[in-house]
Amino acid sequence: MQMFAYALFETAIGRCALAWGPRGVIGVQLPERSPEATRIRLMRLCPNAEELDPPKQIARAIEDISALLRGEKKSLRAVQLDLSRVPAFNARVYETTRAIPPGATRTYGEIARAIGQPDGARAVGQALGRNPFAIVVPCHRVVGADDKLVGFSANGGIKTKLKMLKIEGWRENEPSLFDELA
């Protein structure tokens, strides 16, 4: 039987949670109404996980997430994700979304085109709506057509998405920098 564990940790936007297993991070939860609600939501991903002190690699991921949420320009690309529990299409969406740098945004359509599914914007949105790796897979950096802030399932919805984008230095109506992903 595989061992899964989790830890709650403080950030500039509230208490987050992160779960891990032998292959890496299996889930990240943004703050809910209370730390207990955050824990409960995370436990849906790993009901048998035990709350433990994180090992060095996971502690580093937590430090980097906290730094990013304080406004530091941190890439979370080095965080090892266990994608074995997500469908292959979602994994492709998540890997492509991870390439969006802090402070930048891409549209659902841009992500769809980047993974070779030019008519797949809605499917990309559905995959990101099921994203178990919030912030590490920065679904908050994906916006609707014409850079509209839409589709954020975390607690607080669009307000949380906007808050996270502003922490990262995003400015509305800047041209998309998608060329580096294509």
Side-chain angles (χ1 to χ4, degrees):
M1 185 170 129
Q2 286 191 336
M3 159 84 169
F4 295 109
Y6 73 94
L8 275 77
F9 58 98
E10 288 301 325
T11 72
I13 65 168
R15 188 160 251 215
C16 293
L18 184 145
W20 67 91
R23 295 184 188 176
V25 173
I26 59 170
V28 180
Q29 181 61 49
L30 294 174
E32 290 289 325
R33 310 177 295 295
S34 68
E36 187 57 29
T38 301
R39 177 183 287 111
I40 289 168
R41 182 108 183 241
L42 181 76
M43 294 300 285
R44 291 180 191 163
L45 292 172
C46 48
N48 298 320
E50 185 178 347
E51 189 166 11
L52 295 174
D53 289 332
K56 186 190 276 188
Q57 184 179 4
I58 298 300
R60 177 60 188 253
I62 288 171
E63 288 171 26
D64 287 349
I65 290 167
S66 296
L68 180 67
L69 290 170
R70 281 192 307 270
E72 295 179 29
K73 294 291 185 197
K74 282 282 182 183
S75 167
L76 302 178
R77 297 288 307 242
V79 175
Q80 182 178 337
L81 299 180
D82 178 353
L83 295 168
S84 68
R85 299 160 51 117
V86 300
F89 176 84
N90 293 24
R92 287 184 16 234
V93 169
Y94 300 159
E95 285 300 326
T96 302
T97 302
R98 287 185 85 183
I100 305 169
T105 59
R106 306 292 181 262
T107 67
Y108 295 99
E110 287 172 323
I111 299 294
R113 286 188 294 281
I115 63 169
Q117 301 284 328
D119 296 326
R122 181 163 295 180
V124 166
Q126 290 170 346
L128 290 173
R130 294 183 187 98
N131 174 16
F133 311 106
I135 197 83
V136 178
V137 172
C139 52
H140 65 284
R141 297 180 193 150
V142 183
V143 297
D146 299 323
D147 293 323
K148 296 267 189 276
L149 292 182
V150 296
F152 198 59
S153 59
N155 186 41
I158 299 300
K159 287 181 182 177
T160 300
K161 184 174 196 161
L162 181 59
K163 182 178 188 176
M164 291 170 67
L165 287 169
K166 285 185 174 181
I167 287 170
E168 294 180 355
W170 175 76
R171 291 184 232 26
E172 283 184 87
N173 303 319
E174 280 193 358
S176 175
L177 303 173
F178 190 74
D179 295 337
E180 63 204 54
L181 281 180

